[in-house]
Amino acid sequence: MAETVTLDGVEIHLAAPDDVPLRWVGQPELVTQVLAAWLVLGEEDLPLNPRLIGKPGVGKTTLAYHAGRILQRPVYLFQATMDTRPEDLVITPVIAEQGRIRYMASPVVSAVIKGGVAIIDEGNRMSEKSWASLAPLLDARRYVESIVAGVKIKAHPDFRFCTTMNEDASTFELPEYIHSRLQPQIYIDFPDRDEERRILKSNLPFSDDEVIEYVLTFLQAAHEGDERYSVRDGINIARYALKRLAADGKQLGTERSELLPAVLGEAAAMILDVNAARLFSELLHAEPEDL
């Protein structure tokens, strides 16, 4: 049953924190940067609200979630979209039994009340109007106001905030007064070869090294060629290829090794596009010294 709190005589139903299997691997400096932004150095100090920036699939949400779990505080995820409204971020009224109004707190406001970590994922997919509803929460005022419920909610001292933003064209350009509240900017780039191998192995514990190395070589070549393909894409390619081999009963043996390049190429085309499949084919047929 959802937890409730009463503020100024108004009963508010809280969202449950998220407990998801996201594991951050490598680049410990990035974790330190997030945790440093959240530090409070004294009574006159306030935590900062870091903005994690990078291409889709580089692990921004995973990094934010991992940092939140290190604080041993409940972590609340909110997925921003182009349709996100200001009330979606604060409190939404819904019709309950016998026609009564029930006020449902968003994950962000639930974190505000419980002293948790709020993560707005893909924050630049929602509009300035939605961000404006959070403006007082992200500066020295540290409160959020719900017009529909008629309450002003002060942030718990342990409340922390973070947002992720993609570098692509399908996003809103946010004004400076919003950007100035979302500092510091922490940029996440593609991992190097050793880190990417560890990420693949961590996410594909059921895979053998042959598949891992094929996918790793593809991803590193894609990064060098400034292609958009991410480690998340590589994980999905490997997962589909392994499922495809299992469905055909070709999980072991010489026949499986002979089929693997074609299956990986097929997976690249289905998960990504024909350019990815072409790159995979070129790498699989290259001489070892050319890789």
Side-chain angles (χ1 to χ4, degrees):
M1 188 173 180
E3 183 178 356
T4 62
V5 296
T6 301
L7 300 173
D8 297 334
V10 178
E11 184 179 65
I12 297 172
H13 295 252
L14 303 183
D18 288 281
D19 185 10
V20 292
L22 296 177
R23 297 185 298 273
W24 176 256
V25 178
Q27 303 190 74
E29 177 64 17
L30 293 174
V31 179
T32 302
Q33 289 175 0
V34 177
L35 295 176
W38 284 340
L39 274 178
V40 174
L41 302 179
E43 292 185 1
E44 302 299 319
D45 192 23
L46 292 171
L48 295 168
N49 308 303
R51 180 181 1 152
L52 310 187
I53 302 171
K55 294 178 180 176
V58 295
K60 300 181 292 298
T61 309
T62 302
L63 170 60
Y65 183 80
H66 177 78
R69 298 297 288 185
I70 289 176
L71 293 184
Q72 297 186 321
R73 302 298 305 167
V75 179
Y76 297 79
L77 295 168
F78 182 94
Q79 178 63 53
T81 72
M82 296 182 72
D83 297 324
T84 297
R85 304 166 300 169
E87 55 265 38
D88 298 331
L89 292 164
V90 187
I91 290 176
T92 305
V94 299
I95 303 297
E97 63 277 4
Q98 299 178 342
R100 294 190 304 120
I101 300 294
R102 177 179 293 174
Y103 295 105
M104 308 298 294
S106 73
V108 176
V109 166
S110 298
V112 167
I113 293 172
K114 296 294 291 183
V117 177
I119 300 168
I120 294 186
D121 200 18
E122 301 187 12
N124 50 348
R125 295 205 187 281
M126 67 183 190
S127 67
E128 174 189 350
K129 185 177 180 181
S130 294
W131 273 109
S133 67
L134 298 181
L137 179 64
L138 303 176
D139 59 27
R141 292 172 285 178
R142 299 266 291 171
Y143 71 75
V144 65
E145 195 166 13
S146 170
I147 302 300
V148 294
V151 294
K152 181 184 290 186
I153 306 165
K154 288 189 67 65
H156 187 289
D158 291 335
F159 170 68
R160 298 293 185 270
F161 181 89
C162 181
T163 186
T164 73
M165 293 190 176
N166 282 333
E167 286 185 321
D168 60 40
S170 60
T171 56
F172 285 101
E173 186 62 37
L174 298 178
E176 184 55 33
Y177 80 93
I178 296 296
H179 279 302
S180 66
R181 287 169 167 80
L182 301 174
Q183 303 289 1
Q185 300 177 63
I186 298 174
Y187 186 79
I188 305 175
D189 204 351
F190 291 124
D192 63 26
R193 189 177 185 90
D194 289 341
E195 286 179 337
E196 194 146 55
R197 180 185 287 108
R198 292 206 300 274
I199 295 169
L200 290 171
K201 287 189 172 185
S202 175
N203 285 275
L204 298 164
F206 42 83
S207 174
D208 56 81
D209 288 345
E210 186 178 17
V211 173
I212 296 284
E213 290 302 319
Y214 273 134
V215 173
L216 178 62
T217 299
F218 163 76
L219 289 174
Q220 290 292 305
H223 303 336
E224 289 178 10
D226 201 27
E227 298 284 356
R228 60 180 172 81
Y229 312 136
S230 69
V231 67
R232 182 168 62 197
D233 297 322
I235 291 167
N236 286 333
I237 289 170
R239 291 178 65 204
Y240 177 76
L242 290 166
K243 292 173 189 293
R244 182 79 163 81
L245 289 167
D248 285 341
K250 303 291 192 308
Q251 293 176 269
L252 297 169
T254 305
E255 189 179 4
R256 185 252 202 200
S257 294
E258 292 174 351
L259 284 173
L260 185 56
V263 172
L264 284 168
E266 175 188 308
M270 296 175 69
I271 300 293
L272 296 172
D273 50 38
V274 293
N275 289 329
R278 188 177 301 118
L279 176 58
F280 231 118
S281 178
E282 291 171 358
L283 293 168
L284 292 172
H285 293 93
E287 296 297 329
E289 59 269 20
D290 295 330
L291 298 177

